[in-house]
Amino acid sequence: MYSTSSKDGTFIAYDKVGEGPPLILVEGALNDLSTTLPLAAQLKNDFTVYAYDRRGRGASGNTDPYSVERELEDLDGVIAAAGGSALVFGNCSGGVLALQAVAAGLDIAGLAMFEPPYIVPGTRYRPPDYGERLAALLASGRKEDAVEFFMRFDAVLPDEQISMVRGSPMWPALADLAPSLDNDAAVLGDSVMPPADWIASIKVPTLVVDGGNSNSWARESVRVLAESLPGGRRVTLEGHDHVLAPEALAPVMKEFFAALPAPAGE
């Protein structure tokens, strides 16, 4: 395990494997770096892969007050540890954070995202007071209810699937990560697709991936985003859904990043 300090002094833990151009993996909601390590294992022969715990998760610290800007500074700190420039992959809400990092001017040479959860108007319902209701559940210590609320109204899982997850061995770990859902809610904002002029300002080559069996709203979001980005490319993993499949995703990432100039990095 390695570590770096963010601009506000927050301890950010990361793991590093492999050899080659630096590639940073940004985890999604209810994830810590352990979630991205299987993908790192698939990529380590081609890249030096950095998997880090976002603030408030795993071994990383959590300095109040939270802001999205501080999360961007955390990623910038990992990029600095990687040599000052890097390729970046973001899973789900981690993809939204990574896209915001590109817009903020962080030195990102290429970006890949898996199903960033933007909402194309008319494709799904998300309560307009989602963030406030989630924050109220967490403030009252109802972590398990907060996870269920997220699954129902953000991940859009059916009741039977939520019940299955609640009864699984992973449930306690998900409940422990519940406070970080507040951070993801801040990153996502209202979740609506960003304005076209903002998307058009993203000049970094960007791969946007979806699963062929994923929810229709997620697939429509990926389509619209990939078509709107000046350097956007869409790839669909047929037979897969929103669950990250490293063995299917890694070859697509390798092909995409191999066509780009290597970042300075280490």
Side-chain angles (χ1 to χ4, degrees), residues 57-261:
R57 312 172 194 220
S60 288
N62 190 31
T63 305
D64 290 328
Y66 173 84
S67 73
V68 177
E69 289 73 21
R70 302 294 82 75
E71 278 242 59
L72 296 177
E73 290 168 359
D74 300 344
L75 176 53
D76 200 30
V78 180
I79 292 173
S85 179
L87 304 165
V88 172
F89 165 77
N91 180 35
C92 194
S93 64
V96 175
L97 182 67
L99 193 63
Q100 292 177 5
V102 172
L106 274 63
D107 198 338
I108 295 172
L111 174 63
M113 298 182 285
F114 185 73
E115 296 193 358
Y118 290 118
I119 301 173
V120 176
T123 60
R124 78 169 171 97
Y125 172 76
R126 185 176 187 260
D129 59 349
Y130 171 85
E132 292 83 353
R133 290 168 65 182
L134 176 67
L137 289 171
L138 292 171
S140 62
R142 298 167 60 188
K143 295 193 296 184
E144 294 188 1
D145 290 339
V147 173
E148 182 171 328
F149 182 75
F150 160 79
M151 289 181 170
R152 178 165 288 111
F153 291 111
D154 208 337
V156 199
L157 299 181
D159 288 347
E160 59 270 21
Q161 192 169 349
I162 295 173
S163 296
M164 183 178 67
V165 176
R166 286 201 73 139
S168 73
M170 73 174 70
W171 184 253
L174 295 178
D176 286 343
L177 284 166
S180 66
L181 289 172
D182 244 357
N183 299 359
D184 283 299
V187 169
L188 293 171
D190 62 10
S191 287
V192 174
M193 187 72 65
D197 57 346
W198 187 90
I199 296 176
S201 72
I202 305 292
K203 305 301 184 184
V204 169
T206 303
L207 172 69
V208 195
V209 183
D210 62 336
N213 295 342
S214 291
N215 289 333
S216 59
W217 69 264
R219 302 200 64 209
E220 179 66 2
S221 172
V222 166
R223 182 191 68 80
V224 171
L225 184 61
E227 292 179 358
S228 302
L229 288 162
R233 176 187 171 194
R234 179 190 182 185
V235 172
T236 297
L237 303 180
E238 297 297 345
H240 293 277
D241 56 21
H242 187 65
V243 177
L244 203 64
E247 71 286 350
L249 180 59
V252 174
M253 291 175 59
K254 291 177 186 180
E255 178 187 2
F256 179 74
F257 286 139
L260 305 182

Side-chain angles (χ1 to χ4, degrees), residues 33-56:
L33 69 79
S34 66
T35 310
T36 52
L37 289 180
L39 179 59
Q42 294 283 331
L43 295 166
K44 67 180 181 180
N45 291 334
D46 298 87
F47 305 93
T48 302
V49 187
Y50 294 75
Y52 77 101
D53 275 325
R54 290 169 58 187
R55 64 172 55 205

